[in-house]
Amino acid sequence: MSKLFTPVNLGHYTLKNRLVMAPMTRSRANADGTPNELAALYYAQRASIGLIIAEGTQPSEDGQGYLMTPGIYTDDHVAGWKKIAEAVHQKGSKLFIQLMHAGRMSHPDNTPHHRQGVAPSAIAPGSSMFTATGMQDIPVPRALSTEEVRQTVQDFRFAARRAVDAGADGVEIHGANAYLIHQFLAPSANERTDEYGGSVENRARFAIEVARAITEEIGADRTGIRLSPGMNMWGIDEGNQSDELYRYLTAELNKLNLAYLHIMHMGNEVLLKDMRAIWKSDLVLNRPGRAREQVGQDVESGLADLESYGTMVLANPDFVERLQSHAPMNEAHREGFFGGTDKFYTDYPVMG
């Protein structure tokens, strides 16, 4: 595990270690999408980690899917995120804000404008979602026009600029977990007949255009992307061309010289190694449910340059110190994952 605690260059930054806090939705922003005052404390508590990737943050009104998630497109949003960036930087860590457009994983009751969700095609995910009045079925989304797809690319560009205005060190494009970019990748959610649907190249086009627009706006060394090859949930089925699609997408994104590729690994080791071979810059690897005794193995083997962790970091503000001293970890309390106060948010104990 010793290599895990060594510095690493990522983009034009030097991180103090190779540990990454994975983005985790906590649903504690104000109703207008401005980060809650507690968020600065929450992230600063965990800033012994080299890189903090903040929770999924909507790049536009249409990008919101869940209640009380933060945005990064208004002046108030920027002011809220500035407090977080300053708090993280004071602890010597770096902050990337994850730009997450929920696409069809949305409900009108959860958004400021109460409009129908938008998606590549008018296909509902076949699942339900928590709203202010309880669980409700997710309605059929409205298919974006070709021009609206191009405008959504610009929404991502604008949000990336606002993130940097707020003092963030960069942004991570959320291309995983059944949200908008992933919906474009999956034939089960994308039945388009324009240049954004059909072939592998067309289904990957939106992700590539978003990445290119952001690199043009804030620089490739401030831009990362997260992918989840093989993740089939909420109606997502990537089809029998899935491996081909991710090899193609990785190769095209590699040409942009992004700061990193963040892979949420779902078990296809052959594809993972292929993507690692194609990708020439830093690779961040997340293995959901990874056992504590396996922490550091992917960095030691050279498969990954950095490793990201979610729940263990959520429950252990002093995650790095506990790893280094082989101390026991706090257990995470699921009832505090989404929404609420400081309880099971900023009140997890640290070692004495």
Side-chain angles (χ1 to χ4, degrees), residues 279-298:
W279 189 256
K280 302 308 179 188
S281 112
D282 285 330
L283 189 139
V284 181
L285 188 55
N286 179 277
R287 293 183 186 264
R290 186 75 154 170
R292 186 246 178 86
E293 56 269 20
Q294 295 175 309
V295 172
Q297 287 185 2
D298 288 319

Side-chain angles (χ1 to χ4, degrees), residues 36-95:
N36 185 289
E37 289 287 337
L38 278 174
L41 174 60
Y42 167 71
Y43 285 114
Q45 286 176 336
R46 289 152 180 83
S48 60
I49 278 176
L51 173 64
I52 289 176
I53 305 173
E55 61 209 275
T57 301
Q58 53 261 15
S60 64
E61 286 188 336
D62 281 341
Q64 184 170 355
Y66 301 101
L67 282 172
M68 313 304 281
T69 52
I72 186 63
Y73 55 91
T74 73
D75 289 345
D76 285 344
H77 297 161
V78 169
W81 279 108
K82 274 185 179 177
K83 297 175 185 176
I84 296 171
E86 288 168 1
V88 168
H89 291 154
Q90 285 174 6
K91 294 292 187 71
S93 186
K94 301 299 182 185
L95 175 74

Side-chain angles (χ1 to χ4, degrees), residues 4 21 24 113 123 131 137 156 183 188 193 197 204-205 211 226 238 242 249 251-252 271 278 305 322 338 351:
L4 204 60
M21 178 176 173
M24 291 173 282
H113 49 48
I123 304 169
T131 71
D137 289 340
F156 274 95
Q183 292 160 27
S188 66
T193 56
R205 189 183 307 278
R226 191 181 210 209
E238 295 173 343
S242 176
L249 179 57
E252 292 301 303
L271 178 60
I278 295 167
D305 300 289
R322 288 175 188 261
F338 306 109
M351 295 185 296

Side-chain angles (χ1 to χ4, degrees), residues 190-207:
N190 182 354
E191 295 180 347
R192 301 179 70 91
T193 56
D194 63 0
E195 63 262 41
Y196 296 99
S199 67
V200 161
E201 293 79 8
N202 282 358
R203 284 184 280 120
R205 189 183 307 278
F206 180 63

Side-chain angles (χ1 to χ4, degrees), residues 10 23 63 71 102 104 112 125 131 137-138 149 161 187 196 198-199 230 299 319 328-329 347 351:
L10 181 137
R104 71 181 188 177
T131 71
D137 289 340
I138 297 175
V149 174
R161 169 51 56 192
Y196 296 99
S199 67
V299 165
F319 179 63
M329 296 282 179
D347 67 344
M351 295 185 296

